[in-house]
């Protein structure tokens, strides 16, 4: 119970991140005059213990929630028999037919496995099978420099494993603001990750002696103990017999829906990863709520907020909401930027994170906030302050007038706003924008 989010995606990877921080000592950052190193005899059992504990606990919470709301759970594999009937198959029981006036498809997604990659779930893994890894490798190639690839690359690098991150595009996590993407790459490289962008894998060849040779598009080769392929996901729609009811899925298994999350058949809804972007756990929950409120005419929620916070649980964390500099340029939106750095923030000094940054993008006309970007400790939490301002159509004045507790990382918003006002004065004076300043300290956490 709990789907990809609890069992193989969001929760496991984020728990493993915390485990990597713990065993590597990066969480301490040498605060007490000691440089921590990874525990020499760290085992897979050590590394996976907390992940399994958290997953088990959250599965239990989901089951308890079903009981509390009197939800009947029918184990088995479901497929459409007709537009109002689901056939459930189980190894232990005869087929069962379930009828409903409304049907919600929330079957999630699974990792995409390119046919040219010889996955064996031991040497060559995807983001599901990596959770069943048999040993911690000395070297690892991560294929795919998107969210999942960067998250796993940073956590394995933190454990002292030699990680090579391979991405086919010209930068990592390309939807991020370019400045933030570049900062993330720098921090990952300082952590020990070898980042190679603009490079794809043409062929994978398992070798004797438990290692893999990769043949790369730049004609180079790479030999590693294990390979993790994070090259996108497919919707779990094969086997549903959608053709029986007039619902179709695209080649990646994704179902098209309208603003109410209705499919081509009005009483059949779909939500979550199975409908594609943004495929975020928090958004998927909101989509299902909107769908069911529409289906049963409940006046509670009629849409998913257009202002979505996104978080990448790398080391360091990255989060964003709203426009990037690049999207402002594409839309021909005049903009100004304000920045502040954790190194200039008292809480940043206390916790030892000297490389974090908050970046605000706003209108030079009325100071309306366009976008917020955070890299550093608890970026995934801090982003909600900026998201609230964006949601309400706020301006830089929101941060300037707000009193933030001291010392907190949240206070960095105020100083990013002050910096933005200085850059706005330059803009109005017809002066060119100041180049992005070099953060006071570019070192990765120790």
């Amino acid at each position: 119970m709990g789907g990809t989010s609890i069992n193989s995606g969001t929760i496991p990877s984020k728990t493993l991140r915390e485990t990597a921080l713990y065993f590597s000592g990066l969480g301490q950052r040498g605060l007490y005059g000691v440089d921590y190193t990874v525990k020499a005899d760290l085992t897979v059992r050590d590394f996976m213990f907390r992940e399994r504990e958290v997953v088990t606990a959250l599965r239990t919470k989901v089951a308890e929630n079903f009981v509390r709301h009197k939800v009947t759970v029918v184990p088995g594999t479901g497929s459409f028999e007709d537009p109002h009937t689901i056939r459930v198959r189980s190894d232990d029981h005869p087929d069962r037919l379930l009828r409903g006036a409304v049907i919600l498809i929330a079957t999630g997604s699974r990792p995409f496995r390119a046919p040219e990659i010889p996955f064996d779930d031991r040497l060559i893994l995807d983001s599901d099978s990596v959770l069943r890894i048999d040993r911690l490798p000395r070297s690892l190639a991560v294929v795919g420099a998107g969210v999942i690839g960067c998250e796993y690359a940073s956590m394995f690098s933190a454990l002292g494993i030699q990680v090579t991150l391979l991405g086919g595009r010209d930068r990592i996590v390309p939807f991020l603001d370019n400045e933030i993407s570049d900062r993330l790459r720098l921090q990952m490289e300082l952590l020990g990750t070898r980042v190679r962008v603009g490079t794809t894998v043409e062929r994978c060849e398992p070798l004797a002696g438990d290692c893999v040779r990769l043949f790369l598009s730049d004609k180079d080769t790479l030999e590693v103990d294990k390979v993790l392929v994070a090259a996108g996901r497919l919707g779990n729609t094969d086997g549903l017999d959608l053709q029986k009811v007039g619902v179709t899925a695209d080649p990646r298994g994704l179902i098209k829906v309208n603003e109410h999350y209705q499919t081509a058949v009005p009483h059949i809804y779909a939500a979550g990863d199975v409908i594609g972007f943004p495929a975020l756990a928090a958004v998927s929950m909101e989509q299902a709520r909107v769908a069911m409120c529409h289906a049963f005419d409940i006046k509670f929620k009629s849409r998913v907020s257009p202002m979505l916070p996104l978080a990448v649980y790398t080391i360091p964390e990255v989060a964003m909401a709203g426009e990037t500099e690049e999207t402002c340029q594409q839309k021909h939106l005049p903009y100004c930027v304000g920045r502040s750095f954790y190194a200039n923030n008292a809480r940043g000094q206390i916790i030892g994170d000297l490389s974090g940054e908050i970046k605000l993008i706003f209108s030079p006309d009325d100071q309306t906030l366009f976008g917020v970007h955070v890299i550093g400790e608890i970026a995934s939490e801090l982003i909600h302050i900026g998201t609230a301002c964006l949601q309400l159509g706020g301006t830089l004045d929101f941060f300037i007038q707000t009193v933030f507790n001291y010392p907190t990382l949240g206070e960095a918003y105020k100083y990013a706003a002050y910096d933005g006002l200085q850059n706005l004065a330059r803009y109005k004076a017809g002066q060119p924008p100041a180049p992005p300043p070099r953060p006071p300290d570019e070192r990765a956490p120790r």
Side-chain angles (χ1 to χ4, degrees):
M1 294 183 183
T4 297
S5 176
I6 288 178
N7 295 285
S8 60
T10 306
I11 298 304
S13 62
K14 282 50 175 179
T15 306
L16 290 178
R17 178 187 185 275
E18 294 303 312
T19 303
L21 287 172
Y22 172 80
F23 281 115
S24 67
L26 281 173
Q28 283 71 17
R29 294 184 179 85
L31 291 180
Y32 307 104
V34 176
D35 280 332
Y36 285 79
T37 57
V38 179
K39 179 181 172 183
D41 57 347
L42 179 65
T43 65
V44 168
R45 186 178 184 279
D46 292 333
F47 185 50
M48 295 296 184
F49 174 79
R50 185 60 184 162
E51 178 266 337
R52 290 164 183 158
E53 291 285 303
V54 172
V55 167
T56 300
L58 290 179
R59 281 180 188 159
T60 301
K61 293 296 181 185
V62 171
E64 291 172 350
N65 203 31
F66 283 154
V67 172
R68 185 166 63 253
H69 289 88
K70 298 179 173 60
V71 175
T72 300
V73 178
V74 180
T77 302
S79 62
F80 281 95
E81 190 73 9
D82 63 48
H84 286 280
T85 307
I86 299 294
R87 177 179 294 276
V88 182
R89 295 177 174 84
S90 171
D91 293 337
D92 303 325
H93 303 282
D95 288 3
R96 181 173 176 179
L97 298 179
L98 304 178
R99 290 188 56 80
V102 173
I103 294 174
L104 172 66
I105 301 172
T107 48
S109 64
R110 65 185 184 277
F112 171 66
R113 290 192 165 201
E116 65 271 18
I117 303 294
F119 289 92
D120 63 2
D121 296 332
R122 189 177 71 86
L123 298 179
I124 305 174
L125 311 149
D126 63 23
S127 57
D128 282 0
S129 58
V130 73
L131 298 175
R132 302 185 296 275
I133 194 170
D134 60 341
R135 61 183 175 86
L136 294 177
R138 293 165 300 176
S139 59
L140 173 74
V142 178
V143 181
V147 172
I148 296 173
C150 287
E151 287 181 348
Y152 274 108
S154 63
M155 73 174 71
F156 280 113
S157 289
L159 293 175
I161 294 167
Q162 180 57 67
V163 176
T164 302
L165 177 65
L166 302 166
R169 299 191 183 182
D170 62 351
R171 61 180 59 248
I172 65 173
V173 199
F175 64 78
L176 292 177
D177 182 271
N178 283 358
E179 177 187 343
I180 301 300
S181 175
D182 290 343
R183 292 285 315 284
L184 175 61
R185 175 176 176 171
L186 173 63
Q187 291 302 310
M188 289 180 65
E189 288 175 335
L190 290 170
L191 198 60
T193 307
R194 297 174 180 170
V195 180
R196 298 178 63 171
V197 294
T199 304
T200 58
V201 176
E202 296 185 340
R203 186 158 57 94
C204 262
E205 182 181 284
L207 302 176
D210 278 359
C211 65
V212 182
R213 178 180 293 138
L214 303 180
F215 296 84
L216 308 180
S217 57
D218 59 7
K219 308 308 177 187
D220 194 9
T221 59
L222 178 67
E223 289 188 13
V224 292
D225 289 347
K226 291 185 185 292
V227 178
L228 168 60
V229 180
R233 299 182 70 84
L234 295 175
N236 287 325
T237 49
D238 47 332
L240 290 181
D241 289 337
L242 294 177
Q243 71 280 358
K244 288 185 178 180
V245 297
V247 175
T248 58
D250 70 12
R252 292 191 73 92
L254 304 179
I255 298 173
K256 186 176 181 180
V257 295
N258 65 14
E259 70 275 17
H260 305 301
Y261 301 97
Q262 292 170 292
T263 67
V265 181
H267 72 274
I268 300 177
Y269 293 75
D273 283 17
V274 78
I275 67 171
F277 184 85
L280 300 169
V283 179
S284 299
M285 295 180 219
E286 292 292 276
Q287 290 169 346
R289 291 180 180 118
V290 170
M292 293 301 94
C293 284
H294 181 267
F296 296 103
D297 195 27
I298 300 170
K299 308 300 183 184
F300 170 66
K301 184 180 284 289
S302 61
R303 67 167 190 162
V304 175
S305 169
M307 192 55 61
L308 302 176
L310 305 176
V312 185
Y313 291 83
T314 42
I315 301 173
E317 287 184 13
V318 179
M320 64 165 287
E323 305 289 349
T324 65
E325 286 198 61
E326 293 68 43
T327 59
C328 285
Q329 293 162 7
Q330 292 163 10
K331 296 175 182 178
H332 305 290
L333 285 174
Y335 68 92
C336 284
V337 172
R339 301 175 180 85
S340 64
F341 297 100
Y342 285 22
N344 297 328
N345 174 277
R347 188 62 176 268
Q349 288 287 336
I350 289 169
I351 65 175
D353 185 350
L354 305 181
S355 60
E357 176 187 353
I358 291 180
K359 177 179 180 178
L360 306 178
I361 301 173
F362 63 94
S363 166
D365 298 326
D366 56 9
Q367 300 178 33
T368 296
L369 193 65
F370 285 160
V372 181
H373 306 270
V374 187
I375 180 169
E377 187 88 358
I378 65 168
S380 59
E381 302 281 354
L382 285 173
I383 195 62
H384 295 125
I385 299 173
T387 304
C389 184
L390 287 164
Q391 180 86 17
L392 298 172
T395 68
L396 286 192
D397 202 49
F398 171 80
F399 305 111
I400 290 169
Q401 298 302 327
T402 298
V403 177
F404 292 88
N405 278 328
Y406 177 87
T408 61
L409 292 175
E411 187 197 25
Y413 271 103
K414 184 184 290 287
Y415 292 95
Y418 286 146
D419 181 66
L421 290 181
Q422 292 181 325
N423 290 331
L424 178 60
R426 291 176 59 90
Y427 179 92
K428 290 184 174 179
Q431 300 174 2
R438 184 180 183 273
D441 194 319
E442 288 280 23
R443 291 176 298 173
R446 285 194 283 176

